[in-house]
Amino acid sequence: FWLHRGEWQAASEAYRQGLLRDPGHRGEYVGRLAEWHLLQGQRTQAKSLVEAESKLHPADPVLQTYQVALALGELPSARRAEER
């Protein structure tokens, strides 16, 4: 909610609190934090966050999806179209 309204600080805080309070949905909160980093122009931090969490939770389908999305984002647009 906050992220899409441009409320960057509130979004970051909400996702970090979610990580602490709702560990069953950790992948979703990590993914949202990765999106937050991307919107701040912090691609490296987003990728590092998702990679670190994926090592801890390799079977999490949400984290797997974010890993693939981040990898696709590194390809040139013509190549991304081929990969889809």
Side-chain angles (χ1 to χ4, degrees), residues 50-72:
V50 172
E51 286 177 354
E53 285 292 324
S54 293
K55 287 178 183 175
L56 296 172
H57 308 282
D60 187 315
V62 175
L63 292 172
Q64 292 171 356
T65 301
Y66 275 98
Q67 276 190 301
V68 170
L70 286 165
L72 279 174

Side-chain angles (χ1 to χ4, degrees), residues 3-52:
L3 185 70
H4 300 290
R5 294 179 55 122
E7 299 284 341
W8 311 121
Q9 194 60 34
S12 175
E13 182 59 28
Y15 301 146
R16 291 179 197 289
Q17 286 297 315
L19 284 170
L20 298 173
R21 294 181 182 178
D22 190 11
H25 292 97
R26 188 168 181 88
E28 287 93 342
Y29 290 112
V30 168
R32 294 293 175 97
L33 281 168
E35 290 180 39
W36 182 89
H37 282 294
L38 290 170
L39 287 168
Q40 304 299 313
Q42 302 169 352
R43 182 171 191 71
T44 302
Q45 291 90 331
K47 188 174 178 182
S48 295
L49 176 64
V50 172
E51 286 177 354

